[in-house]
Amino acid sequence: MGNRLSKIVTRTGDAGTTGLGDGTRVAKDSLRVETMGQVDELNSTIGLLLTEDMPHQIRQALIGVQHDLFDLGGELCIPGMTMINEAQVDRLEDLVEQFNADLSPLKDFILPGGTRAAAIAHLARTVCRRAERCIVHLASTETVSDFARKYLNRLSDLMFVLGRALNQAGGCGDVLWVQGKNRGSA
């Protein structure tokens, strides 16, 4: 792979196409390329989150997620390839349960915010939901593994819980939504 990545400017995409992992060329605005981009943006958002102070267990979980997302990008880059599996989906479910166990039960909706780390986790959750919508759309016309879709669904749940856990770790409670808070205010 070293030689493959040593030349960054190739000019092969100047006409608006890009190469997939299997060698086929597709338009850069194709749904598959859009989906790959959404997953890449999600991974980058998690990378931003990892620049924040956080408990070691959360950091390790997020680093694992980044590796999984790179696998998912590889799966999307090679039509018909499967790289995300049931064990990865199950691991996310276990992480949700583990981090949620120490949080108080939710009785109200919460707003994204609190600590900077929690706000970035919520941003990652929304980027994940967008990537999930994109992969569902792609699956309506092309073959996409069920585990890829399930992975993103579980990951958005994890990012929600991590947002709460990061607020707790930062000494900040959940930011509660207050229905109609500003009605009648001028």
Side-chain angles (χ1 to χ4, degrees):
M1 180 153 303
N3 288 339
R4 220 175 109 195
L5 295 179
S6 62
K7 184 163 175 70
I8 303 302
V9 177
T10 63
R11 296 185 178 96
T12 57
D14 288 353
T17 64
T18 191
L20 296 180
D22 64 0
T24 59
R25 296 208 59 84
V26 297
K28 287 186 175 185
D29 65 352
S30 74
L31 186 53
R32 181 168 295 276
V33 174
E34 174 65 21
T35 305
M36 291 167 24
Q38 296 291 337
V39 171
D40 187 32
E41 183 180 351
L42 172 58
N43 207 342
S44 295
T45 306
I46 291 172
L48 174 63
L49 174 55
L50 282 165
T51 67
E52 299 293 318
D53 288 331
M54 65 184 64
H56 178 75
Q57 284 184 303
I58 294 176
R59 181 171 303 284
Q60 291 308 115
L62 290 171
I63 290 169
V65 165
Q66 281 198 302
H67 285 275
D68 288 346
L69 290 173
F70 215 85
D71 288 344
L72 178 54
E75 180 173 317
L76 292 167
C77 185
I78 303 173
M81 171 70 78
T82 301
M83 295 179 74
I84 297 295
N85 60 43
E86 186 172 12
Q88 289 164 298
V89 174
D90 290 345
R91 190 182 82 253
L92 290 184
E93 288 183 20
D94 291 344
L95 288 169
V96 169
E97 294 302 317
Q98 173 190 335
F99 290 115
N100 198 45
D102 294 332
L103 300 173
S104 60
L106 272 179
K107 296 179 181 162
D108 297 295
F109 289 107
I110 63 170
L111 300 175
T115 65
R116 180 177 163 85
I120 297 170
H122 282 289
L123 177 62
R125 173 185 53 79
T126 64
V127 173
C128 185
R129 285 289 188 203
R130 184 168 12 103
E132 181 186 9
R133 290 189 302 272
C134 212
I135 209 167
V136 166
H137 188 193
L138 179 64
S140 70
T141 58
E142 298 185 43
T143 302
V144 176
S145 80
D146 287 341
F147 291 124
R149 187 183 65 253
K150 289 177 183 180
Y151 186 89
L152 289 176
N153 191 23
R154 297 307 181 283
L155 181 55
S156 65
D157 294 337
L158 177 62
M159 296 314 300
F160 176 80
V161 168
L162 289 183
R164 296 189 68 215
L166 287 164
N167 268 341
Q168 182 180 46
C172 182
D174 292 319
V175 180
L176 299 178
W177 169 63
V178 178
Q179 183 177 8
K181 178 177 174 129
N182 291 321
R183 278 192 214 145
S185 297

